[in-house]
Amino acid sequence: MPDTMNPGLTLTFGQGNLYPACLIILRHSPVTREKIQEHITNQNTKFHLPEDPKGKKENLNSERPTRVLTETRHSQREDQSLGKTTGLPTTKLAEKRQRTKTLFKKFNEMNWPLDIRPLNKTLVQDNKWKKTDETQEKRRSFLQEFCKKYGGVSRPQSHLFHMVSRIYVEDKHKILYCEVPKAGCSNWKRILMVLNGLAPSTYNISHDAVHYGKHLKKLDGFDLKGIYTRLNTYTKAVFVRDPMERLVSAFRDKFEHPNSYYHPVFGKAIIKKYRPNACEEALNNGSGVQFKEFIHYLLDSHRPVGMDIHWEKVSKLCYPCLINYDFVGKFETLEEDANYFLQLIGAPKELKFPNFKDRHSSDERTNAQVVRQYLKDLTRTERQLIYDFYYLDYLMFNYTTPFL
């Protein structure tokens, strides 16, 4: 996909047929900056646990429910220390509130939002990266200017730990990587494991070890000082993908193959609500969800089950206007971007980004042609509403209007 956006696209609010108050992107409409800012900064989302192939939820460290820092909830380390408090329940509650206020005070004293920094290119020794570097600078500048215009300077006091819950930490090379499912995240986690010294090669690491092991650290596992120090000094990377392609890829992966989690949890609920006269077998096992049914679920403001990280918006997974990412990679140029990034951080020369398909290797990769086949059964209105749903991702990362 090219790094260009259709000119003249502005934002207005309208009424969608499938969910209320959807954001419609139209030409020649007035920009509502306050509404865009609200959607950028006010993004507390609850996530479902992913499937565990062995049915053991304790192995789901990589995709556990996120913590939210609020006036009545605390970080893990804080809860551990509070558990040792003695005294009456009212005394304990007062102490917890005081600790939370202290935490907010410390955060208020920090310099937020973090400034974007020039990339350190001293370790790049090959001239072949010139074009890739120019593209990277354009992406960084575009995202920065978008966030300056629409993101405001809001301080994320109410959900700091939630904001960083998708970010993986590699301390040796000082990397922060925000995980975006269906945008090369499995192979990126393999790279992080090799950089951490946990494996000699990316080709030796199984899918289960990547997603269900407890090998990699996440940023929300550190205390406030540890989080802020790493955000301010490490190289922060996010890799994104055309939202429509990512959505179709997620559907194919989770609903077109046997799956012990997504079929019984999501499939059964989707079939029950959106398939008239569903047969008993489909209601019992949740298999055979149709793409149109999945889209009805996605666009329903009263979903029978919540959102999932595999089709959640990048703006809600990685908070690009509150965390200033140093590197913005795209799935469409994944290997080139990833290998340039490895040069930037001084990775071993022999380490290259793997190009193998993580699962369902015999399936054709999801591309624009495949996406068109899935969208042909949808109405124009439904396609427009999908675009509206992901409008912020399309704007932030400068993707063109697709398939409408």
Side-chain angles (χ1 to χ4, degrees):
M1 294 292 173
D3 283 318
T4 56
M5 184 170 64
N6 287 354
L9 287 179
T10 51
L11 297 171
T12 185
F13 272 71
Q15 288 291 330
N17 293 330
L18 296 178
Y19 63 108
C22 73
L23 289 166
I24 308 292
I25 299 187
L26 300 171
R27 294 182 181 274
H28 314 304
S29 301
V31 175
T32 312
R33 181 173 300 180
E34 294 78 7
K35 291 296 183 181
I36 302 174
Q37 179 176 338
E38 176 185 346
H39 278 259
I40 292 173
T41 58
N42 185 23
Q43 299 180 33
N44 285 314
T45 305
K46 294 182 179 179
F47 298 104
H48 275 268
L49 286 170
E51 83 275 18
D52 181 348
K54 299 176 183 177
K56 297 178 181 179
K57 291 189 176 180
E58 61 268 23
N59 291 335
L60 298 179
N61 177 66
S62 63
E63 295 181 350
R64 65 190 183 279
T66 54
R67 286 197 308 276
V68 180
L69 179 63
T70 66
E71 287 290 341
T72 58
R73 299 182 71 179
H74 313 274
S75 72
Q76 189 175 31
R77 285 175 172 75
E78 195 177 11
D79 283 332
Q80 290 170 350
S81 63
L82 288 173
K84 300 176 182 179
T85 306
T86 58
L88 295 172
T90 53
T91 304
K92 291 181 182 180
L93 181 60
E95 290 178 358
K96 286 182 180 180
R97 288 176 175 171
Q98 184 57 46
R99 287 179 183 271
T100 302
K101 289 179 180 179
T102 301
L103 193 63
F104 280 127
K105 183 179 179 181
K106 288 180 179 179
F107 184 69
N108 282 325
E109 292 170 354
M110 294 177 176
N111 180 26
W112 194 278
L114 305 172
D115 293 328
I116 192 168
R117 302 170 298 162
L119 279 171
N120 181 1
K121 302 171 187 178
T122 57
L123 298 175
V124 179
Q125 301 175 352
D126 198 328
N127 291 330
K128 73 176 183 179
W129 301 111
K130 182 178 179 181
K131 185 177 179 181
T132 308
D133 177 67
E134 290 174 355
T135 300
Q136 184 58 220
E137 292 298 339
K138 289 178 182 177
R139 290 176 187 167
R140 280 161 39 97
S141 297
F142 184 91
L143 180 58
Q144 183 182 20
E145 290 304 312
F146 175 85
C147 292
K148 280 183 178 179
K149 187 172 182 180
Y150 299 115
V153 292
S154 298
R155 300 167 65 85
Q157 300 172 1
S158 62
H159 53 279
L160 174 63
F161 286 92
H162 173 77
M163 275 176 49
V164 302
S165 63
R166 306 306 314 168
I167 297 179
Y168 285 87
V169 179
E170 201 281 289
D171 285 313
K172 182 178 179 181
H173 295 83
K174 297 187 175 181
I175 301 168
L176 298 180
Y177 162 71
C178 187
E179 177 190 25
V180 177
K182 313 311 299 178
C185 71
S186 297
N187 282 335
W188 259 117
K189 286 193 274 190
R190 288 185 172 94
I191 288 284
L192 294 178
M193 290 174 71
V194 172
L195 290 174
N196 266 301
L198 299 170
S201 167
T202 57
Y203 293 89
N204 301 340
I205 309 172
S206 70
H207 176 86
D208 286 0
V210 167
H211 290 286
Y212 309 114
K214 299 182 179 180
H215 311 292
L216 297 172
K217 294 179 289 186
K218 283 189 175 181
L219 193 53
D220 65 343
F222 294 86
D223 60 18
L224 190 66
K225 182 179 179 181
I227 291 173
Y228 181 78
T229 299
R230 286 168 175 79
L231 284 174
N232 205 36
T233 59
Y234 283 22
T235 302
K236 302 177 290 296
V238 60
F239 277 72
V240 299
R241 186 178 187 176
D242 176 274
M244 204 77 81
E245 281 194 15
R246 182 170 164 253
L247 176 68
V248 173
S249 177
F251 172 79
R252 296 176 73 198
D253 181 26
K254 303 306 178 188
F255 295 101
E256 292 188 348
H257 296 272
N259 193 295
S260 61
Y261 174 77
Y262 284 90
H263 291 187
V265 174
F266 285 88
K268 289 169 66 173
I270 289 172
I271 290 171
K272 182 178 180 180
K273 183 165 185 180
Y274 306 108
R275 182 181 299 178
N277 304 315
C279 68
E280 186 175 349
E281 182 181 0
L283 291 171
N284 287 336
N285 61 34
S287 298
V289 170
Q290 300 298 308
F291 186 66
K292 193 178 184 76
E293 296 168 337
F294 174 67
I295 294 306
H296 286 173
Y297 145 79
L298 179 78
L299 300 175
D300 189 349
S301 61
H302 302 288
R303 299 183 191 95
V305 282
M307 281 294 287
D308 181 86
I309 59 172
H310 290 86
W311 46 85
E312 181 59 279
K313 309 161 193 174
V314 177
S315 55
K316 285 191 175 183
L317 293 172
C318 297
Y319 296 86
C321 281
L322 291 172
I323 298 173
N324 289 319
Y325 289 92
D326 303 298
F327 194 94
V328 180
K330 289 193 172 182
F331 186 83
E332 293 76 15
T333 51
L334 179 57
E335 285 186 59
E336 182 180 343
D337 292 346
N339 287 324
Y340 177 52
F341 180 78
L342 292 175
Q343 287 264 320
L344 287 171
I345 55 98
K349 291 183 179 180
E350 65 274 12
L351 181 60
K352 305 296 181 185
F353 193 82
N355 59 6
F356 60 82
K357 201 168 185 286
D358 188 51
R359 288 200 299 177
H360 317 310
S361 57
S362 62
D363 290 0
E364 180 182 4
R365 285 185 182 272
T366 302
N367 54 34
Q369 184 177 355
V370 171
V371 171
R372 289 189 184 95
Q373 290 300 310
Y374 280 80
L375 296 182
K376 69 180 183 180
D377 294 329
L378 303 182
T379 66
R380 182 178 178 84
T381 298
E382 288 168 337
R383 295 196 299 270
Q384 176 69 51
L385 288 172
I386 298 171
Y387 177 64
D388 300 338
F389 184 83
Y390 290 108
Y391 82 101
L392 202 53
D393 286 359
Y394 274 105
L395 293 184
M396 280 182 170
F397 300 109
N398 204 14
Y399 279 109
T400 54
T401 307
F403 315 110
L404 298 179

